[in-house]
Amino acid sequence: MSSITQTTPAPASVRRYRDYDQPLWKRVLLTREMAIIALLIVVVIVASMTVRGFGQPITLTYLILDVTPILLIALPMTLIMITGEIDLSVASIVGLSSVITGVLTHGGMPFEIAALIALLVGGIGGAINGFLVTVVGLPSLAVTIGTLALFRGLAVGLLGTTAVTDFPEFWTDLAKAKLGATGIPLVIIPFLVLLAIFAVLLHFTPFGRGIYAIGLSKETAAFSGVDVGRTKFILFVLAGFVSALAGIYYTLRFGSARGDNATGMELQVIAAVVLGGVSVFGGRGALHGVIAGVLLIGVLASALRLANVTSDVINIITGALLVISVVSSSFLAWLRTRRQAPGGKPRVEVSTAG
Amino acid sequence: MSTATTTPTSNVTKRVSAIGKARELGILLALVIVVIAATAANPNFLFSADGWRDLLLTPSILVLVAVGQAIVLITRNVDLSVGSVLGLTAYLTGRLFIDLPGIPIVAVFVIAVAFGGVLGLINGALVAFAKVPAMVITLGTLYAYRGINVLWTGSDRINASDLPKSFLALGTEQFLTIPILTIIALVVLIIAGWYMKNTRGGREFYAIGSDPAAAELYGLRVTRRLLTAFVLSGALAGLAGVLYAARYGTINSQAGSGWELDAVGAAVIGGVAIVGGVGSVWGAAIGAVLLLTINRALPILGIPDFWQRAVVGVLIIGAIVLDRVLAVRQKRKLIEARDDS
């Protein structure tokens, strides 16, 4: 091979998802996900040592109770964003399922049936998103801005400014119950079950490989036998379903069904997912990174609150963290190309050596 | 865009532009229907001094933000930070009047617009140089700017009594029955509309949004254009912030929160495609007017305004579905025209 054709530098726009010329330990340890997990560990250690009260079991309890809705919704959101789509309507489905549970329970229906209907409505909401995105062929960002307003409007319209607060004590207690004396709330169990389902689905099944394939190239995936439309549709339905589940939990946790429950949570979920290493372009990301991303934001919020920092400071930190984490990875990539091309000269010598 | 090669298909081009016009005409028609229906239910909606003023005044601030958003969307980006920029500049406006008594109003306008532009420049620089999707960057700055606003404001609140009367008058005064704010919004809209349609810079926004790679290969200064788009969006959000202060008088740390989705929604309703390259600032402006007019019309039509967001949602979905249908039909016609020739 002539050195010239070999050494033409790859255009910056070519995305590299895994460097298979690197040794295995480097590929595993030097990933975005590991960086976030390491950062999470550092923050936990520093917070435990410097913030009084952070190491207490009660802090852990509240931390988990607070982040559970975001953790839940982040699972399907990760899969959707890996296909290169997005769902902005999740928080509105949280609100809608909360209101439906409340209205039906208030109307005399047993709570369990009301919750099941709310789950069904969440699934239908997701199916509407999926239908508009896959069958009609609309961009998901636009579709879900529309359904964000629609579902929230239905929620607020059904209940107005009133709130339903009479839920069976058994369920409201269960939402806050702890596993013995550990301080770990019971809600961790359904979350872990869902996490296992989603992890197997994404990382160990052909369906999951299809999700990555769609994100990298829709056309290639379709030619490789992935049913792109069906895959996306299933993911949107799952997102609606899980969001409704989060909505029911949210209702029980605060003992109150309101139309404006969880307003703005979609941005928190997306911020956590992106922080966890999922590319908005699709094709890249993993669940362990996303979980770490959600927990990182949650731990920071909880530690700062304990340290008597205004709770809204978390906004700056979330935002800055998000920007720094995405900018730094492209900055590192830029540095790498700089290093390969000293003085800005074409990378001929380096590449021929390799 | 139309060069010598399109001459044989000028018929098609005409039809395409007719569809483009119909797109904005459709949304304008929807607005007219809403206004007529509300006026029929209650003549005061249009034919009273307050009704007429509110009709023009209420959407004026959102129009400014939507115009900026439309420009960014046309370049195939999005600016989710506009609500936070608006809030920050609104508070800055209040602080300037309190901390520098006697400061000329014009100076406040200039400072606030420049400040908004700088915030937009930060977005633009991060997007253009880091090659990171605008959605992620502006989602980050949405939080960061809002956080800075909360830090700066604290539990403080600016009240109308802290602001000079002449400044507050801007928010209520009229010229030939047209509110000053509306006139400002119209002037901005006309300039932006003219710029996007007739200048090289404006057309390059469309070129970049249609096909970023082709625009780069063709030698357009993509980086500079992206920076310009984000600076414009930030500066217009800044201007909207000053007007917000003038209109409402009360500013706390949450001013303008949630406006980003209204601005994107207005643009999408008005026919600006989220995938870039399509739409106009006129459409976005009409979308903004429709969005806020519906809000006022619903209670008059006997529907509790709690349902407003649901109606807005149906409207957004309807608008993008219509857009899609028109695009598919246009494509089929273009293919037919090609097969005929």
Side-chain angles (χ1 to χ4, degrees), chain B residues 74-77 203-213 215-216 220-223 225-226 277:
Chain B
I74 284 169
T75 67
R76 203 184 275 195
N77 285 287
R203 301 320 300 175
E204 283 185 10
F205 286 134
Y206 284 94
I208 292 166
S210 302
D211 194 335
E216 185 103 39
L220 300 187
R221 292 179 183 164
V222 176
T223 309
R225 288 285 160 232
L226 287 187

Side-chain angles (χ1 to χ4, degrees), chain A residues 51-52 300-313, chain B residues 151:
Chain A
V51 180
R52 195 139 51 102
L300 269 174
S302 150
L304 286 170
R305 215 174 297 137
L306 281 172
N308 279 331
V309 182
T310 349
S311 71
D312 292 287
V313 172
Chain B
L151 263 192

Side-chain angles (χ1 to χ4, degrees), chain B residues 244-260:
Chain B
Y244 184 97
R247 166 101 163 90
Y248 297 104
T250 330
I251 309 146
N252 61 16
S253 62
Q254 294 307 313
S257 64
W259 278 51
E260 58 282 342

Side-chain angles (χ1 to χ4, degrees), chain B residues 43-84:
Chain B
N44 282 338
F45 186 77
L46 188 58
F47 297 117
S48 70
D50 276 355
W52 169 246
R53 198 196 63 182
D54 281 353
L55 181 71
L56 295 176
L57 191 55
T58 311
S60 296
I61 299 174
L62 184 60
V63 163
L64 292 172
V65 184
V67 164
Q69 188 67 253
I71 297 173
V72 173
L73 283 174
I74 284 169
T75 67
R76 203 184 275 195
N77 285 287
V78 66
D79 186 352
L80 293 178
S81 72
V82 284
S84 301

Side-chain angles (χ1 to χ4, degrees), chain A residues 28-85:
Chain A
V28 173
L29 288 182
L30 298 183
T31 58
R32 179 67 192 279
E33 284 77 21
M34 285 302 165
I36 293 294
I37 292 173
L39 190 59
L40 173 64
I41 294 171
V42 169
V43 169
V44 168
I45 292 173
V46 170
S48 315
M49 290 193 310
T50 56
V51 180
R52 195 139 51 102
F54 183 79
Q56 306 298 319
I58 185 79
T59 313
L60 181 69
T61 311
Y62 276 100
L63 178 66
I64 292 176
L65 288 175
D66 283 345
V67 297
T68 295
I70 297 178
L71 273 176
L72 284 172
I73 302 172
L75 297 173
M77 185 71 92
T78 304
L79 274 58
I80 287 182
M81 287 177 72
I82 291 175
T83 68
E85 302 287 346

Side-chain angles (χ1 to χ4, degrees), chain A residues 86 149 267-268 280 312 315 330, chain B residues 130 135-136 140 143 147 150 309 324:
Chain A
I86 198 160
L267 295 182
Q268 291 177 37
V280 194
D312 292 287
N315 279 351
S330 64
Chain B
M135 218 194 80
V136 180
Y143 283 121
V150 172
R309 288 198 70 79
R324 175 76 187 165

